Amino acid sequence: MKIFHVLFFCFLSGPAVLVKAKHNIWSAAEGVNGTLNCNLTLSGSTKFFCKEKCERAEDILIKTDGSTAQSGRFSIKYKDGSSGRGIVFLTFTHMIKSDSGLYRCAFGNSSPDSYYDFEVRVSNDLDKNIGLYHTEMKGENIKLVCSINAYGQRKFFCKNQCKNKGEILIDTTNNKAVSGRYSIEYTAGSMYGLYATITQLTKSDTGLYICGYGNPLSPDSYESEYVLVSDATTQSESVTAGVSTHGPDSSWLLVVRASLDGVLLMAVFLMLFYISKTRRNFGLNTRENDTNMELSVGYENFDPTSKHEESKSSRTKPTLHY
């Protein structure tokens, strides 16, 4: 059984830190097997693998204090990381369309404290020989992990298999290099060290990418990843990492929303005032017209040649009601 391994990453300095996470999407064809690596801050000995947010018992696929566990077509394997972090390998086997949806991997005790959410999409339109695609929307930027096991002076970034110089996007001995929309950067002390980035993605960027250390034609250490650029909308509005659904920039959104609510309330008030004033003016005009009509009818029925009417008219004058 062939398993396709894909490394994804998130940035969590601790379970009490608010983090705005990028929406990570992975796409696959029906029937493939794939593994995602979830690297998180340790916040307990219990590992969680859930569909959705682990809020309901039926959403928890696996919950264990052990290093390995399996439930049906899903399994996890735990490995110690560095600096208080841990890595959970989440494996899907024989993926089916109903596997599409949001997932959460997490550490915690009775409930997830340090977690990471991601989306999986399963379809019949993808190559079954490839496995999992790191999926991004057209026009977005994507960051790829290049190596987690080694360090070297020479760094490279390729599209396809790096079998010839035409497939080499960047080959440098510097810690940072840029070539058009492609870049590679080594950051000492970061989680993985070396990353490659593609900006302003287009549909033609779909394909295999390799980056790492050494000679690109015979690398010392590298990671490979298939990228799928899609113009489809995401299935959810947002996903989060950490312990909060609000990122550090959520306060200004609240201010904007409050301002819009204020404008809307003012508009409603002015509309009601206008309607009320219009109805009041209409009522006054209606009463005035009724009065004029009453006067007109009274005088039209008056016959000056009739003594009876003259006598009646002299006793009772028209009364005006305002």
Side-chain angles (χ1 to χ4, degrees), residues 123-165:
S123 72
N124 289 320
D125 301 327
L126 302 175
D127 190 340
K128 292 186 177 182
N129 296 316
I130 290 179
L132 291 165
Y133 291 83
H134 189 165
T135 306
E136 278 291 350
M137 301 299 105
K138 184 171 62 175
E140 297 293 326
N141 305 331
I142 191 169
K143 179 180 282 189
L144 309 175
V145 174
C146 295
S147 179
I148 61 174
N149 298 317
Y151 171 78
Q153 186 67 24
R154 189 174 179 181
K155 309 162 188 72
F156 68 89
F157 184 25
C158 301
K159 186 172 184 180
N160 297 324
Q161 299 288 345
C162 282
K163 291 183 177 180
N164 56 68
K165 291 185 177 180

Side-chain angles (χ1 to χ4, degrees), residues 144-148 150-152 154-156 174-175 184-187 190-196 211-213 221:
L144 309 175
V145 174
C146 295
S147 179
I148 61 174
Y151 171 78
R154 189 174 179 181
K155 309 162 188 72
F156 68 89
N174 298 324
N175 282 340
I184 193 168
E185 182 174 7
Y186 171 77
T187 305
S190 62
M191 189 183 303
Y192 298 113
L194 186 63
Y195 304 90
C211 58
Y213 298 102
S221 176

